[in-house]
């Protein structure tokens, strides 16, 4: 294992990685740090070719001790698909779709939760709690089921039925809350110590981020050592955006890429819940709580994110951008996505396509640039949103 320590993302203070942690004393996310020089020696592009075809192929830059015994449903190593009909329709030369809908439990939450559950179990944890807007709860429930661990899932009472049912079926305790994911998070924080639950909220433990960052490594391998010019990513808690940016940083330190190869990171949000877009436009270092958050894209219904400042940093450092789309546009483009690619996307996937068209029209994205669209989940859990249209 090359994990050396955890580092506070605000103060830089170091923490012992052999123990479980939530936030740092400064109330900020902890970031996993590795001996990257050592990692680079064995994790070469040539060596990677013959490895297992899931995210555990990147063992050298993951925080786990034993890769033989960890629990897995085959998360990660999702296809990066060409999209010729999207290109033709929208006048672009190169659109790639990172299709995260084929992950276990139908979304990329599988990456983060498998990383977090395995890391916590290696450190003695057997009982987990999570606040969720949708997919995260299902992913935790699935890995807890596989491991025989306890999962407690708090979700808004108006979360679509599929998200709820997958947790119930997997044996999780589901608590329906009259409120948003932020309210669910507060309720867990109030009783987790008394109950003995380990809180795996987004960025409130260090390893979901590590699972999500593997998307960045996969892009590099699947593009034969290149990276896209622009990444369009539907942003809720921000683990994917922050995680990929961390991966690119690690890749630079390992000598895989140069700084100028890093993509521009674009955060896509819903008009009914766009705290990062607002902060970006107002040039603020962090976001403010978004009142009355509403959108059919459950994964984007996150009114406040503890990692907001890290998202804004990644967007700024990469010359990226942030943009909101309406639910109507989102659903229109979700159907367009399906019609032109054969992939039935989560509304979050439709949102990035809608955003791409807007950014092409505004001139931010050029015709000749390579654009990676993240379809972060499957449409099957969002039938209510599709039927409402
Ligand atoms: C959770 C979720 C998102 C947001 O992901 P973050 O990395 O936490 O910002 C986007 N799309 C879907 C389908 C999700 O479930």
């Amino acid at each position: 294992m090359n994990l050396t320590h955890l580092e506070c993302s605000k103060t830089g203070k170091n923490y012992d990685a052999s123990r479980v942690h939530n936030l740092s004393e400064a109330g900020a996310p902890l970031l996993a740090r590795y001996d990257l020089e050592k990692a680079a020696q064995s994790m070469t592009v040539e060596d990677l070719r013959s490895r297992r075809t899931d995210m555990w192929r990147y063992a050298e830059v993951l925080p786990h001790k034993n890769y033989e015994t960890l629990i897995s449903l085959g998360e990660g190593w999702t296809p990066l698909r060409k999209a010729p009909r999207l290109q033709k329709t929208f006048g672009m030369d190169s659109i790639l779709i990172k299709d995260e809908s084929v992950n276990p439990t139908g979304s990329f939450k599988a990456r983060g939760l498998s990383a977090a559950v395995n890391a916590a179990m290696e450190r003695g944890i057997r009982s987990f709690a999570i606040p969720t807007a949708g997919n995260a709860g299902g992913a935790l429930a699935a890995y807890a089921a596989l491991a025989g661990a306890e999962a407690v899932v708090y979700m808004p009472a108006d979360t679509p039925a599929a998200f709820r049912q997958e947790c119930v079926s997997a044996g999780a305790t589901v608590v329906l809350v009259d409120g948003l994911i932020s309210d669910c998070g507060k309720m867990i924080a109030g009783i987790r110590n008394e109950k003995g639950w380990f809180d795996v909220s987004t960025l409130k433990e260090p390893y979901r981020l590590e699972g999500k960052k593997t998307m960045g490594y996969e892009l590099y391998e699947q593009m034969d050592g290149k990276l896209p010019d622009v990444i369009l990513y539907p942003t809720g808690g921000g683990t994917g955006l922050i995680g990929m940016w961390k991966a690119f940083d690690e890749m630079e330190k390992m000598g895989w890429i140069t700084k100028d190869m890093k993509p521009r990171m674009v955060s896509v949000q819903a008009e009914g819940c766009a705290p990062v877009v607002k902060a970006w436009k107002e040039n603020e270092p962090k976001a403010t709580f978004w009142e009355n958050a509403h959108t059919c894209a459950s994964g984007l219904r996150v009114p406040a994110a503890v990692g907001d400042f890290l998202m804004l940093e990644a967007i700024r450092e990469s010359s990226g951008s942030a943009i909101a789309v309406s639910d109507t546009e989102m659903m229109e483009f979700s159907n367009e996505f399906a019609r032109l690619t054969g992939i039935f996307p989560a509304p979050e996937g439709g949102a990035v396509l809608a955003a791409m068209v807007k950014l092409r029209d505004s001139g931010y994205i050029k015709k000749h640039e390579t654009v990676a669209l993240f379809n972060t989940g499957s449409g099957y859990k969002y039938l209510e949103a599709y039927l409402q249209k």
Side-chain angles (χ1 to χ4, degrees):
M1 186 176 65
N2 300 317
L3 180 68
T4 54
H5 62 279
L6 299 169
E7 186 184 294
C8 173
S9 55
K10 260 204 185 114
T11 65
K13 186 177 169 183
N14 290 358
Y15 289 78
D16 175 8
S18 67
R19 294 183 27 229
V20 290
H21 292 276
N22 287 113
L23 293 176
S24 73
E25 289 150 283
L30 289 170
L31 303 175
R33 297 299 183 203
Y34 302 86
D35 182 345
L36 290 174
E37 212 171 301
K38 191 159 151 243
Q41 282 165 17
S42 53
M43 197 173 70
T44 61
V45 171
E46 298 76 57
D47 196 72
L48 280 165
R49 282 198 193 107
S50 56
R51 293 196 183 182
R52 56 190 290 177
T53 50
D54 56 25
M55 70 176 205
W56 305 104
R57 62 198 277 110
Y58 305 110
E60 282 92 336
V61 289
L62 288 171
H64 305 87
K65 289 174 203 154
N66 192 337
Y67 289 84
E68 305 307 313
T69 58
L70 54 71
I71 54 149
S72 167
L73 294 166
E75 47 287 335
W77 200 243
T78 56
L80 184 67
R81 299 210 181 279
K82 293 200 169 82
R85 291 190 69 211
L86 275 186
Q87 290 173 188
K88 191 153 178 279
T89 304
F90 296 109
M92 295 288 298
D93 293 344
S94 175
I95 299 175
L96 298 169
I97 298 170
K98 186 66 171 156
D99 186 15
E100 292 293 305
S101 69
V102 299
N103 272 302
T105 70
S107 91
F108 67 167
K109 291 292 192 301
R111 295 181 189 258
L113 269 310
S114 60
V117 167
N118 277 300
M121 289 189 64
E122 285 188 344
R123 290 159 182 80
I125 300 288
R126 292 290 177 274
S127 183
F128 297 88
I130 195 165
T132 183
N135 281 312
L140 173 65
Y143 291 103
L146 179 60
E150 181 190 19
V152 183
V153 178
Y154 279 62
M155 61 170 71
D158 60 355
T159 307
F163 296 103
R164 202 154 88 198
Q165 189 57 44
E166 64 178 344
C167 295
V168 172
S169 293
T173 303
V174 176
V175 181
L176 297 178
V177 175
D178 185 17
L180 293 171
I181 185 173
S182 42
D183 302 297
C184 297
K186 276 181 213 147
M187 292 175 75
I188 290 175
I191 56 169
R192 66 185 179 206
N193 290 342
E194 172 196 330
K195 299 278 189 186
W197 300 335
F198 183 58
D199 185 350
V200 285
S201 296
T202 302
L203 286 167
K204 290 186 181 164
E205 63 73 51
Y207 302 125
R208 280 176 65 181
L209 187 68
E210 296 305 289
K212 285 275 193 84
K213 84 178 178 189
T214 56
M215 295 188 292
Y217 282 95
E218 289 177 20
L219 278 181
Y220 176 83
E221 266 198 280
Q222 291 172 325
M223 291 179 70
D224 293 323
K226 293 199 197 71
L227 287 171
D229 296 300
V230 185
I231 289 178
L232 296 189
Y233 183 84
T235 317
T239 41
L241 193 109
I242 300 164
M244 280 192 276
W245 193 243
K246 183 174 188 282
F248 299 145
D249 186 54
E250 290 171 356
M251 285 157 59
E252 189 187 347
K253 292 201 170 96
M254 289 191 292
W256 287 20
I257 60 166
T258 52
K259 201 179 182 69
D260 59 306
M261 285 171 69
K262 291 186 187 174
R264 310 203 301 277
M265 307 296 285
V266 178
S267 160
V268 180
Q269 297 200 301
E271 280 179 3
C273 182
V276 173
V277 176
K278 180 166 180 284
W280 156 254
K281 284 196 174 140
E282 294 170 357
N283 210 18
E284 295 291 341
K286 59 199 228 26
T288 47
F289 189 87
W290 189 276
E291 298 293 342
N292 302 319
H294 61 89
T295 167
C296 64
S298 314
L300 306 186
R301 202 163 65 140
V302 181
V306 60
D308 55 0
F309 69 102
L310 295 170
M311 283 188 251
L312 289 159
E313 248 170 56
I315 297 169
R316 287 203 178 97
E317 277 177 31
S318 71
S319 307
S321 189
I323 183 169
V325 303
S326 71
D327 276 25
T328 309
E329 290 169 320
M330 208 184 282
M331 294 320 299
E332 198 181 298
F333 278 95
S334 293
N335 283 310
E336 197 71 354
F337 198 122
R339 196 174 68 80
L340 293 169
T341 68
I343 297 168
F344 183 41
E348 290 85 343
V352 296
L353 181 58
M356 184 200 76
V357 174
K358 287 185 177 202
L359 292 171
R360 182 211 56 188
D361 290 348
S362 76
Y364 176 83
I365 294 176
K366 307 274 184 291
K367 181 182 191 296
H368 69 269
E369 291 187 306
T370 300
V371 180
L373 305 181
F374 272 76
N375 174 39
T376 45
S378 160
Y380 294 117
K381 293 192 219 174
Y382 296 82
L383 291 183
E384 289 92 336
Y386 274 96
L387 293 171
Q388 233 170 43
K389 215 200 132 229

